[in-house]
Amino acid sequence: MVAEQGGPEDQKPQSDEARSAFVPPPGVEQPAAPSEDDQPTSEFALPAGLPDLSASPGPGSGPGGGAGSDTLASAFVPPSGYTAQHQPPAFTPAHGIPMVRLTKEAPWQDRMRTMLRMPVTERPAPESVQQTDDSGPAVPRVLDLTLRIGELLLAGGEGAEDVEAAMFAVTRSYGLDRSEPTVTFTLLSISYQPSLVDDPITASRTVRRRGTDYTRLAAVFRLIDDITSAEHVEVSLEEAYRRLAEIRRNRHPYPGWVLTAAAGLLAGSASVLVGGGVLVFLVAAAGAMLGDRLAWLCAGRGLPEFYQFTAAAMPPAAMGIALTLTHSTDVRPSAVITGGLFALLPGRALVAGVQDGLTGYYLTAGARLLEVMYFFIGIVAGVLLMLYLGVQLGAQLNPEARFIPNDRPVLQILVSMTLTLAFAILLQQERSTVLAVTLNGGVAWIIYGAMAQTGKISPVAATAVAAGLVGLFGQLFSRYRYTSSLPYITAAIGPLLPGSATYFGLLGVAQNEVNTGLTSLSTAVATALAIAIGVNLGSEISRLFMRVPGGPVEGPSRRAAKRTRGF
């Protein structure tokens, strides 16, 4: 029985691992062995049954692409359907594509603003300034740092375009070039996409509190300038977070009592600017300081800013009415009330709102202008309440008692500079910028007085020209110091604010002279818009005569959105 058994390999059972999974089991017909000609071909080879287009004559035939060629055509050979007479516009022109260059001498605001106005496909390659580890930048931390910086800038009153430029500069410096920041009135967001095949990463931050502190604003600008600078300045993420925390913790440069005194100085200077004397100066200053303390009390109780403006507008108006009831002939109550209004008019928010609208950020501009409208309505409510009360008490308020400027030009120039100085203190500016903005305010009043009072030109037109020079000089100052232009512009427009037109308009409404009141109020609105447009136009004109990076070597170097042409 042993002899009937097979060989040794038949006695030993085969395991499943001993056979290939592709070997047919016993009893199945074995396929024929493949010949050498049936070996697998390249995946770029044409399947059987399709015609060989490379064998047909045409413009694409030639070395490596002609008839009967067994090799693949060169990638630089034009396709078969291409002709030189009907070349598609996608091909590179004969003179080449102009190279985009960003000058290193220009401030980072101009460089980043130029890149934001470029299409994404035309932006130059990134040049990372700050070093990162081998694994690349920490994307979540960079986005968080960018949002925190943008929050401080937006809360400080910076325009939406400048905030976007700052956020783009920070992300680009840390290697995140494919980022798109978005700024609205209360929401900041930024999206980063590592590549075309990766999912984008988006982060956002809400701006809930706003505070005017231009010292903090200047410190943030210095931080951004160090981050974007390539002059051997290395700012790691940890160092940037540390400096940002110090900026947040820093106290305001001026205490509360100095701010209250500055509000009184501003109101008193404005009252002298519209024709008041020493007594008017003192009364207007006292009313403004009382209104400022009342507004601080309302803020401490958690009341919204609308009611704070209403409360702050009541004491100056009440003091002006009290002077009228005393039948004093050498005191002008209108100058007292006008001085108090100068200290309350939201010129900073108005300029920022109009600037956002002119640069294409319509959502943010609408929100800012709506905020200005609410503030203005609060001021109107407080003054009208006092005026109605004064009319009921028999106060003889004369809406025709317009101030007659000005037989005191030297005094008014000095007073306008004092007003600008007080305004700069209220904005918490750095002491190094106070002198420059004070001189800028004096120049603005000189231009306005020369045009409106000496040249008999329309006050609205004179205001626009003076505001344009303020914006021009503010840009020059800011470029010299490599910082924001707001500290050199906002306080300088203080003497141009339409305080008297606002007061006489409200007085006309209070005395049932609606037509006269609305005419004066419309003049105040036109003057305010002239200030905002003039400031923005002056800033844009300054860039036309300065070296701005970006664009071709020859031709226009700065692009803007095309007009819609009505459709």
Side-chain angles (χ1 to χ4, degrees), residues 143-158:
L143 297 184
D144 179 70
L145 174 67
T146 303
L147 290 173
R148 292 177 183 273
I149 291 177
E151 178 189 10
L152 286 180
L153 293 177
L154 188 63
E158 195 67 58

Side-chain angles (χ1 to χ4, degrees), residues 143-399:
L143 297 184
D144 179 70
L145 174 67
T146 303
L147 290 173
R148 292 177 183 273
I149 291 177
E151 178 189 10
L152 286 180
L153 293 177
L154 188 63
E158 195 67 58
E161 186 179 29
D162 293 328
V163 176
E164 282 195 0
M167 296 172 65
F168 189 74
V170 174
T171 55
R172 188 177 175 84
S173 299
Y174 285 107
L176 308 184
D177 60 304
R178 303 178 63 90
S179 60
E180 289 295 334
T182 303
V183 176
T184 59
F185 185 59
T186 58
L187 181 65
L188 298 170
S189 63
I190 187 169
S191 177
Y192 170 68
Q193 189 174 14
S195 65
L196 294 177
V197 297
D198 293 329
D199 295 332
I201 303 173
T202 303
S204 61
R205 192 174 183 89
T206 303
V207 181
R208 303 189 182 277
R209 296 191 61 184
R210 300 177 182 273
T212 304
D213 189 344
Y214 283 176
T215 299
R216 178 179 298 175
L217 190 69
V220 176
F221 265 75
R222 283 193 294 269
L223 173 60
I224 300 173
D225 186 64
D226 290 342
I227 292 176
T228 58
S229 175
E231 299 295 335
H232 306 289
V233 179
E234 183 176 353
V235 182
S236 62
L237 282 175
E238 290 73 14
E239 176 69 15
Y241 268 106
R242 185 190 64 79
R243 291 180 57 178
L244 194 63
E246 290 180 354
I247 293 173
R248 287 179 174 273
R249 288 195 302 264
N250 283 345
R251 300 179 60 87
H252 297 303
Y254 307 104
W257 66 269
V258 174
L259 299 180
T260 301
L265 179 62
L266 192 154
S269 302
S271 65
V272 176
L273 198 64
V274 297
V278 177
L279 182 59
V280 170
F281 177 90
L282 297 176
V283 175
M289 289 190 290
L290 182 59
D292 181 76
R293 288 291 91 189
L294 190 59
W296 277 87
L297 180 61
C298 294
R301 298 294 180 180
L303 291 178
E305 287 184 298
F306 176 85
Y307 301 105
Q308 297 176 28
F309 274 85
T310 302
M314 294 173 66
M319 289 204 171
I321 294 172
L323 288 178
T324 304
L325 293 176
T326 59
H327 303 286
S328 177
T329 58
D330 57 343
V331 177
R332 299 185 58 183
S334 60
V336 175
I337 301 177
T338 300
L341 291 177
F342 264 90
L344 296 176
L345 291 178
R348 174 185 58 86
L350 176 66
V351 171
V354 175
Q355 179 181 359
D356 288 342
L358 294 176
T359 52
Y361 294 84
Y362 301 112
L363 182 62
T364 307
R368 288 186 188 272
L369 293 178
L370 185 63
E371 181 188 41
V372 171
M373 186 189 70
Y374 273 106
F375 291 164
F376 188 77
I377 291 176
I379 297 172
V380 168
V383 175
L384 278 181
L385 181 61
M386 292 292 101
L387 291 180
Y388 277 124
L389 181 61
V391 171
Q392 297 300 322
L393 294 177
Q396 300 297 323
L397 299 172
N398 185 11

Side-chain angles (χ1 to χ4, degrees), residues 5 24 82 184 196 270 355 377 379 402 419 473 481 542 557:
Q5 298 294 331
Y82 172 78
T184 59
L196 294 177
Q355 179 181 359
I377 291 176
I379 297 172
R402 308 278 177 153
L419 188 152
F473 292 150
R481 298 291 299 272
S542 68
S557 61

